[in-house]
Amino acid sequence: MGIQDTPEEWRTVATATPFTGNKTSVRTDEVVMPDGTTVTRDYQVHPGSVAVLALDDTDRVIVLRQYRHPVRHRLWEIPAGLLDIPGENPLHAAQRELYEEAHVKAEDWRVLTDVYTTPGGCDEAVRVFLAREISAADGERYEVSEEEADMELARIPLDELVRAVLAGDLHNNCLAVGVLALHAALAGDGVESLRPADAPWPARPFEP
């Protein structure tokens, strides 16, 4: 099997939710350590997310520039969004986000990678898709608001994004993971070796 993460759950003797927000909450657990002591662990409870690396026929990636208040930066990102509905099929969510944020559709979908964004303090799981054979979406553009109303849209060559990530010029995790994963796939066994778009996702189980 090679190197692989494995599920495990240490005993929790008490839990509380001191904060509940619009989409996420904060949980406090009392967790028993291997030596028998009990420690407190605070973490954000997150519904999960999807992200889409959309690659056009000239090897350019669709990226968005958006203000992110917690880090006080305007970041270049790939289309992404929350899994708003428990058990939602992540492919359907990714197709929705690509339409809403970039107003394009794609014919070929594959899973690039699955990640936990900040496992030391949040249970967010993200599935990053590769979308190819893209074209303009039908119908009216999705009406955006708040930070999304100020977004910029661009198409940047994949190689340029790889260089910018390694230079420390781009910091969004989904963008960095996505472009580096695709770069590795292209340099290795190729896109055809990637998992299908409906591959199981134990971190966020879903109905086909």
Side-chain angles (χ1 to χ4, degrees):
M1 292 293 292
I3 186 170
Q4 185 177 14
D5 294 334
T6 55
E8 184 172 342
E9 185 172 356
W10 293 0
R11 187 163 62 98
T12 300
V13 295
T15 188
T17 305
F19 170 79
T20 300
N22 184 31
K23 296 292 186 180
T24 66
S25 60
V26 173
R27 183 174 297 164
T28 299
D29 288 346
E30 298 290 333
V31 185
V32 180
M33 297 288 104
D35 64 0
T37 60
T38 301
V39 301
T40 299
R41 291 290 178 262
D42 301 317
Y43 59 99
Q44 182 184 23
V45 179
H46 194 285
S49 305
V50 292
V52 185
L53 194 152
L55 188 72
D56 70 14
D57 56 6
T58 60
D59 290 334
R60 297 178 303 168
V61 177
I62 294 177
V63 290
L64 310 163
R65 192 167 181 244
Q66 183 173 348
Y67 176 67
R68 293 300 188 183
H69 186 71
V71 295
R72 273 57 168 187
H73 270 71
R74 191 183 291 269
L75 301 178
W76 285 104
E77 307 178 350
I78 56 178
L82 298 175
L83 291 169
D84 294 313
I85 305 169
E88 182 178 16
N89 187 309
L91 174 59
H92 298 165
Q95 292 169 333
R96 179 187 68 236
E97 293 300 330
L98 186 60
Y99 165 76
E100 290 181 357
E101 296 193 350
H103 200 64
V104 299
K105 59 184 178 180
E107 298 301 322
D108 185 79
W109 289 82
R110 300 170 192 272
V111 176
L112 264 178
T113 189
D114 300 322
V115 295
Y116 291 114
T117 55
T118 48
C122 180
D123 70 352
E124 181 184 16
V126 179
R127 169 156 282 188
V128 183
F129 288 92
L130 171 65
R132 299 185 302 166
E133 299 177 24
I134 61 176
S135 60
D138 300 325
E140 298 294 325
R141 292 193 67 94
Y142 180 77
E143 186 175 346
V144 296
S145 61
E146 300 174 349
E147 290 93 343
E148 292 183 351
D150 192 44
M151 287 194 309
E152 301 173 47
L153 179 68
R155 296 192 182 195
I156 306 296
L158 176 64
D159 289 345
E160 183 176 338
L161 293 175
V162 170
R163 287 192 294 270
V165 168
L166 297 178
D169 294 330
L170 297 175
H171 306 90
N172 176 264
N173 57 354
C174 291
L175 182 148
V177 167
V179 300
L180 295 179
L182 179 56
H183 180 73
L186 293 172
D189 295 331
V191 169
E192 301 303 321
S193 68
L194 295 172
R195 287 172 291 160
D198 60 353
W201 189 17
R204 293 294 185 272
F206 61 92
E207 294 295 328

